[in-house]
Amino acid sequence: MRIPWSKIAFYVVVAVIVLYTVFPFYYAILSSLKSGSALFNVDYFPFNASIDNYISVFREQPFGRNILNSVVVAVLTVVASLFLAVTAAYALGRIRFRGRTPLLFTILGVSMFPQVAVLSGMFELIRGLGLYNSLLGLVLSYMIFTLPFTVWVLTTFMRDLPVELEEAAIVDGATPWVIITKVFMPLMGPALVTTGLLAFIAAWNEFLFALTFTLSNEMRTVPVAIALITGASQHELPWGNIMAASVIVTVPLIVLVLIFQRRIVSGLTAGAVKG
Amino acid sequence: MTTASERLGPPGPGRAAAQLGKPEVSDLTRARVRSAWLFLTPMLLILALVAGWPLLRTIWFGFTDATLDNLESYELIGLENYIFLVQDPTWWRAVWNTVWFTLVSVSLETILGMAIALTLNAHFRGRGLMRAAVLIPWAIPTIVSAKMWGWMYHDQFGLINDLLMRIGILSEPLAWTADPDLAMWAVIMVDVWKTTPFMTLLILAGLQMLPQDCYESAKVDGVHPVKVFFKVTLPLIRPALMVAVIFRALDSLRIFDLIYVLTSNSEDTMTMSIYARQQLVDFQDVGFGSAASTLLFLIIATATVIYVTAGRLRLDGGR
């Protein structure tokens, strides 16, 4: 029998790719389960697992509070941007009016804004509104990257909805508001889940604004909290704790992403490769 | 394209009216346009508040000597900040670092993303599993990736040194993130790992829309697969590839978090964003930092315009 070398080679390539993408996180989990000096020996397979790091990460800083902060900020960001984006997407996707194309391009342009380019103006705004070191301040500032993106993706979804539905609704005398809420919303479920999830991940992961607009440990979101975990001295980072914290905040995201894999892929590619 | 409103022209009861001189149709259209603006207003207001206004204020601050602890009282100092900025070698170092980082990491991501996408595009057992595995780096928060790799790069206890010494490539451990010659490469490797999935997904989406018939005829004609790739696949997915590249490049040009966490404010890896934030927050110099932010914005905007024009990109997907 002939040995199918090309097939074997192909599966070797697949194995290498999977190892490359998965191994670093596997190693983080491994490290998070080591306690004491075991951390300083490199191991490739688990043994003597201990959850000490998972306990101490909550004991040594308000990490539970940080997680709560991140959840609150991300959920509020998603709700606010979806609410604003759905109506805007209807206008941009289904109604032809003067200035629509420039508007779409402005929105696309804003989504490409470097965050640091607005940093000092945003700082002044947040402080002027009395939102410095508060979660609402973060939600407001996150609109700069979630809003353009949700509007853009939802517009592409809206545009592809069947026109007959809308015609029938108009004939029945439905106002645009009724068309959105009663006719289109039921069809928008998948699109809302996709964009909502992507906005959630973006808000959950954001670092620069969270670092700059919060001051106290209690107001920090997870990425800032993890980045600022320090040990007894600056050169002795508690790597075990850092890895435990990393695993805690990453596992839910990975589960979400794997569950909604197809939707996320379609959301990421919507608008980018269509057409 | 035909939008809803075009096709919505004279349907149903409007049709009779349309023949009489179309008063009802234009009423309908006018009402729809009015509600369009009504629906857009809240979103536009928020966008103006969190994007337009801060951008204008940042540009304004660039011409002042404002400081972080006192944003209310400042004086206009004209172009002084910019004059200092263009004379600061650290700034130009940061510009060069950013450009170099972007060129190298986006190129590597494109090549690697293409390779993985081509693999995923083949039909084989376990494809779903592989696609899930490939998505994992994308799902991991940037800060977590930076910390994970920072731990693997650790000069004494890191896995990378251990691995390379075990297989005999290294004879002694290296300080990956502290060594000036290595730090940039260390950062690039993490970015490539983290963002290749995005590239892969966009390229894969492009690949899956390709017509199958030209591949079949190429197969019948016995054309070598490598030649098929360069003569058929690459030209066909070029538009999708160009869009993926610009999204990634814009992301890289503004990179902050990954590098800040891995190598802090080190000059070896300092990017424009890190430089501007350091001036603004650490040195409290809002005026100077804003000037740097504004220049960064201009550089990225110019690069985008050049890229989009030169590549004749249609970001709206031909809409």
Side-chain angles (χ1 to χ4, degrees), chain A residues 86-104:
Chain A
V86 166
T87 49
Y90 174 78
L92 290 167
R94 317 266 340 175
I95 301 174
R96 197 181 188 85
F97 58 91
R98 208 189 277 262
R100 196 182 60 127
T101 310
L103 211 56
L104 268 170

PDB file of all heavy atoms in Angstrom, chain A residues 86-104:
ATOM      1  N   VAL A  86     -29.434  50.708  16.072  1.00  0.00           N
ATOM      2  CA  VAL A  86     -30.496  50.058  15.309  1.00  0.00           C
ATOM      3  C   VAL A  86     -31.296  51.084  14.501  1.00  0.00           C
ATOM      4  O   VAL A  86     -31.507  50.924  13.297  1.00  0.00           O
ATOM      5  CB  VAL A  86     -31.440  49.259  16.236  1.00  0.00           C
ATOM      6  CG1 VAL A  86     -32.714  48.888  15.516  1.00  0.00           C
ATOM      7  CG2 VAL A  86     -30.749  48.001  16.717  1.00  0.00           C
ATOM      8  N   THR A  87     -31.719  52.168  15.167  1.00  0.00           N
ATOM      9  CA  THR A  87     -32.504  53.170  14.446  1.00  0.00           C
ATOM     10  C   THR A  87     -31.652  53.847  13.374  1.00  0.00           C
ATOM     11  O   THR A  87     -32.103  54.067  12.253  1.00  0.00           O
ATOM     12  CB  THR A  87     -33.039  54.230  15.425  1.00  0.00           C
ATOM     13  OG1 THR A  87     -31.967  54.672  16.238  1.00  0.00           O
ATOM     14  CG2 THR A  87     -34.139  53.665  16.283  1.00  0.00           C
ATOM     15  N   ALA A  88     -30.394  54.126  13.736  1.00  0.00           N
ATOM     16  CA  ALA A  88     -29.508  54.772  12.762  1.00  0.00           C
ATOM     17  C   ALA A  88     -29.278  53.860  11.565  1.00  0.00           C
ATOM     18  O   ALA A  88     -29.274  54.309  10.420  1.00  0.00           O
ATOM     19  CB  ALA A  88     -28.175  55.129  13.420  1.00  0.00           C
ATOM     20  N   ALA A  89     -29.140  52.564  11.835  1.00  0.00           N
ATOM     21  CA  ALA A  89     -28.892  51.617  10.748  1.00  0.00           C
ATOM     22  C   ALA A  89     -30.109  51.525   9.831  1.00  0.00           C
ATOM     23  O   ALA A  89     -29.964  51.371   8.623  1.00  0.00           O
ATOM     24  CB  ALA A  89     -28.542  50.240  11.320  1.00  0.00           C
ATOM     25  N   TYR A  90     -31.305  51.636  10.405  1.00  0.00           N
ATOM     26  CA  TYR A  90     -32.505  51.633   9.560  1.00  0.00           C
ATOM     27  C   TYR A  90     -32.466  52.827   8.613  1.00  0.00           C
ATOM     28  O   TYR A  90     -32.681  52.690   7.400  1.00  0.00           O
ATOM     29  CB  TYR A  90     -33.767  51.687  10.424  1.00  0.00           C
ATOM     30  CG  TYR A  90     -35.033  51.819   9.614  1.00  0.00           C
ATOM     31  CD1 TYR A  90     -35.572  50.719   8.967  1.00  0.00           C
ATOM     32  CD2 TYR A  90     -35.663  53.062   9.467  1.00  0.00           C
ATOM     33  CE1 TYR A  90     -36.725  50.836   8.204  1.00  0.00           C
ATOM     34  CE2 TYR A  90     -36.812  53.186   8.699  1.00  0.00           C
ATOM     35  CZ  TYR A  90     -37.333  52.074   8.073  1.00  0.00           C
ATOM     36  OH  TYR A  90     -38.460  52.192   7.303  1.00  0.00           O
ATOM     37  N   ALA A  91     -32.166  53.993   9.155  1.00  0.00           N
ATOM     38  CA  ALA A  91     -32.105  55.188   8.324  1.00  0.00           C
ATOM     39  C   ALA A  91     -31.042  55.048   7.242  1.00  0.00           C
ATOM     40  O   ALA A  91     -31.275  55.369   6.078  1.00  0.00           O
ATOM     41  CB  ALA A  91     -31.826  56.410   9.195  1.00  0.00           C
ATOM     42  N   LEU A  92     -29.880  54.520   7.618  1.00  0.00           N
ATOM     43  CA  LEU A  92     -28.774  54.439   6.663  1.00  0.00           C
ATOM     44  C   LEU A  92     -28.949  53.287   5.675  1.00  0.00           C
ATOM     45  O   LEU A  92     -28.502  53.364   4.537  1.00  0.00           O
ATOM     46  CB  LEU A  92     -27.444  54.274   7.407  1.00  0.00           C
ATOM     47  CG  LEU A  92     -26.970  55.494   8.183  1.00  0.00           C
ATOM     48  CD1 LEU A  92     -25.835  55.125   9.115  1.00  0.00           C
ATOM     49  CD2 LEU A  92     -26.521  56.593   7.222  1.00  0.00           C
ATOM     50  N   GLY A  93     -29.595  52.239   6.123  1.00  0.00           N
ATOM     51  CA  GLY A  93     -29.698  51.062   5.274  1.00  0.00           C
ATOM     52  C   GLY A  93     -30.917  51.057   4.366  1.00  0.00           C
ATOM     53  O   GLY A  93     -30.890  50.445   3.303  1.00  0.00           O
ATOM     54  N   ARG A  94     -31.997  51.705   4.780  1.00  0.00           N
ATOM     55  CA  ARG A  94     -33.238  51.536   4.032  1.00  0.00           C
ATOM     56  C   ARG A  94     -33.799  52.832   3.466  1.00  0.00           C
ATOM     57  O   ARG A  94     -34.758  52.780   2.702  1.00  0.00           O
ATOM     58  CB  ARG A  94     -34.327  50.904   4.921  1.00  0.00           C
ATOM     59  CG  ARG A  94     -33.873  49.791   5.777  1.00  0.00           C
ATOM     60  CD  ARG A  94     -34.029  48.422   5.242  1.00  0.00           C
ATOM     61  NE  ARG A  94     -34.944  48.146   4.184  1.00  0.00           N
ATOM     62  CZ  ARG A  94     -35.019  46.944   3.637  1.00  0.00           C
ATOM     63  NH1 ARG A  94     -34.280  45.963   4.067  1.00  0.00           N
ATOM     64  NH2 ARG A  94     -35.843  46.732   2.663  1.00  0.00           N
ATOM     65  N   ILE A  95     -33.305  53.951   3.867  1.00  0.00           N
ATOM     66  CA  ILE A  95     -33.875  55.197   3.368  1.00  0.00           C
ATOM     67  C   ILE A  95     -32.813  55.933   2.560  1.00  0.00           C
ATOM     68  O   ILE A  95     -31.677  56.059   3.004  1.00  0.00           O
ATOM     69  CB  ILE A  95     -34.386  56.085   4.529  1.00  0.00           C
ATOM     70  CG1 ILE A  95     -35.442  55.334   5.334  1.00  0.00           C
ATOM     71  CG2 ILE A  95     -34.966  57.393   3.981  1.00  0.00           C
ATOM     72  CD1 ILE A  95     -35.915  56.053   6.564  1.00  0.00           C
ATOM     73  N   ARG A  96     -33.207  56.370   1.397  1.00  0.00           N
ATOM     74  CA  ARG A  96     -32.255  57.088   0.559  1.00  0.00           C
ATOM     75  C   ARG A  96     -32.444  58.578   0.805  1.00  0.00           C
ATOM     76  O   ARG A  96     -33.554  59.093   0.676  1.00  0.00           O
ATOM     77  CB  ARG A  96     -32.534  56.774  -0.905  1.00  0.00           C
ATOM     78  CG  ARG A  96     -31.387  57.131  -1.797  1.00  0.00           C
ATOM     79  CD  ARG A  96     -31.737  56.829  -3.241  1.00  0.00           C
ATOM     80  NE  ARG A  96     -30.561  56.995  -4.074  1.00  0.00           N
ATOM     81  CZ  ARG A  96     -29.669  56.045  -4.246  1.00  0.00           C
ATOM     82  NH1 ARG A  96     -29.820  54.893  -3.662  1.00  0.00           N
ATOM     83  NH2 ARG A  96     -28.620  56.282  -5.023  1.00  0.00           N
ATOM     84  N   PHE A  97     -31.405  59.232   1.241  1.00  0.00           N
ATOM     85  CA  PHE A  97     -31.522  60.677   1.460  1.00  0.00           C
ATOM     86  C   PHE A  97     -30.184  61.330   1.151  1.00  0.00           C
ATOM     87  O   PHE A  97     -29.140  60.674   1.099  1.00  0.00           O
ATOM     88  CB  PHE A  97     -31.963  60.971   2.906  1.00  0.00           C
ATOM     89  CG  PHE A  97     -31.044  60.425   3.952  1.00  0.00           C
ATOM     90  CD1 PHE A  97     -29.995  61.178   4.445  1.00  0.00           C
ATOM     91  CD2 PHE A  97     -31.219  59.126   4.447  1.00  0.00           C
ATOM     92  CE1 PHE A  97     -29.144  60.669   5.401  1.00  0.00           C
ATOM     93  CE2 PHE A  97     -30.366  58.619   5.394  1.00  0.00           C
ATOM     94  CZ  PHE A  97     -29.326  59.390   5.876  1.00  0.00           C
ATOM     95  N   ARG A  98     -30.255  62.608   0.942  1.00  0.00           N
ATOM     96  CA  ARG A  98     -29.063  63.372   0.597  1.00  0.00           C
ATOM     97  C   ARG A  98     -28.071  63.324   1.766  1.00  0.00           C
ATOM     98  O   ARG A  98     -28.468  63.496   2.913  1.00  0.00           O
ATOM     99  CB  ARG A  98     -29.468  64.816   0.347  1.00  0.00           C
ATOM    100  CG  ARG A  98     -28.577  65.539  -0.603  1.00  0.00           C
ATOM    101  CD  ARG A  98     -28.950  66.989  -0.591  1.00  0.00           C
ATOM    102  NE  ARG A  98     -30.093  67.270  -1.469  1.00  0.00           N
ATOM    103  CZ  ARG A  98     -29.953  67.745  -2.705  1.00  0.00           C
ATOM    104  NH1 ARG A  98     -28.752  67.987  -3.174  1.00  0.00           N
ATOM    105  NH2 ARG A  98     -31.011  67.994  -3.444  1.00  0.00           N
ATOM    106  N   GLY A  99     -26.821  63.078   1.473  1.00  0.00           N
ATOM    107  CA  GLY A  99     -25.813  63.078   2.528  1.00  0.00           C
ATOM    108  C   GLY A  99     -25.620  61.724   3.175  1.00  0.00           C
ATOM    109  O   GLY A  99     -24.897  61.595   4.148  1.00  0.00           O
ATOM    110  N   ARG A 100     -26.257  60.684   2.619  1.00  0.00           N
ATOM    111  CA  ARG A 100     -26.158  59.370   3.254  1.00  0.00           C
ATOM    112  C   ARG A 100     -24.751  58.787   3.092  1.00  0.00           C
ATOM    113  O   ARG A 100     -24.161  58.289   4.042  1.00  0.00           O
ATOM    114  CB  ARG A 100     -27.179  58.425   2.624  1.00  0.00           C
ATOM    115  CG  ARG A 100     -27.445  57.186   3.433  1.00  0.00           C
ATOM    116  CD  ARG A 100     -28.407  56.312   2.702  1.00  0.00           C
ATOM    117  NE  ARG A 100     -27.832  55.949   1.420  1.00  0.00           N
ATOM    118  CZ  ARG A 100     -27.717  54.701   0.989  1.00  0.00           C
ATOM    119  NH1 ARG A 100     -28.183  53.724   1.709  1.00  0.00           N
ATOM    120  NH2 ARG A 100     -27.165  54.439  -0.175  1.00  0.00           N
ATOM    121  N   THR A 101     -24.221  58.844   1.858  1.00  0.00           N
ATOM    122  CA  THR A 101     -22.904  58.254   1.622  1.00  0.00           C
ATOM    123  C   THR A 101     -21.807  58.972   2.409  1.00  0.00           C
ATOM    124  O   THR A 101     -21.000  58.314   3.068  1.00  0.00           O
ATOM    125  CB  THR A 101     -22.610  58.237   0.109  1.00  0.00           C
ATOM    126  OG1 THR A 101     -23.742  57.657  -0.549  1.00  0.00           O
ATOM    127  CG2 THR A 101     -21.384  57.424  -0.201  1.00  0.00           C
ATOM    128  N   PRO A 102     -21.754  60.329   2.371  1.00  0.00           N
ATOM    129  CA  PRO A 102     -20.737  60.993   3.210  1.00  0.00           C
ATOM    130  C   PRO A 102     -20.860  60.612   4.678  1.00  0.00           C
ATOM    131  O   PRO A 102     -19.858  60.423   5.363  1.00  0.00           O
ATOM    132  CB  PRO A 102     -21.035  62.487   3.022  1.00  0.00           C
ATOM    133  CG  PRO A 102     -21.850  62.597   1.814  1.00  0.00           C
ATOM    134  CD  PRO A 102     -22.509  61.289   1.564  1.00  0.00           C
ATOM    135  N   LEU A 103     -22.097  60.456   5.125  1.00  0.00           N
ATOM    136  CA  LEU A 103     -22.322  60.101   6.526  1.00  0.00           C
ATOM    137  C   LEU A 103     -21.740  58.728   6.834  1.00  0.00           C
ATOM    138  O   LEU A 103     -21.054  58.530   7.841  1.00  0.00           O
ATOM    139  CB  LEU A 103     -23.834  60.104   6.790  1.00  0.00           C
ATOM    140  CG  LEU A 103     -24.270  60.473   8.195  1.00  0.00           C
ATOM    141  CD1 LEU A 103     -23.718  61.834   8.562  1.00  0.00           C
ATOM    142  CD2 LEU A 103     -25.783  60.486   8.275  1.00  0.00           C
ATOM    143  N   LEU A 104     -21.997  57.783   5.933  1.00  0.00           N
ATOM    144  CA  LEU A 104     -21.463  56.435   6.126  1.00  0.00           C
ATOM    145  C   LEU A 104     -19.941  56.461   6.186  1.00  0.00           C
ATOM    146  O   LEU A 104     -19.324  55.772   6.994  1.00  0.00           O
ATOM    147  CB  LEU A 104     -21.923  55.523   4.980  1.00  0.00           C
ATOM    148  CG  LEU A 104     -23.210  54.755   5.235  1.00  0.00           C
ATOM    149  CD1 LEU A 104     -23.700  54.078   3.968  1.00  0.00           C
ATOM    150  CD2 LEU A 104     -22.991  53.708   6.319  1.00  0.00           C
TER     151      LEU A 104
END
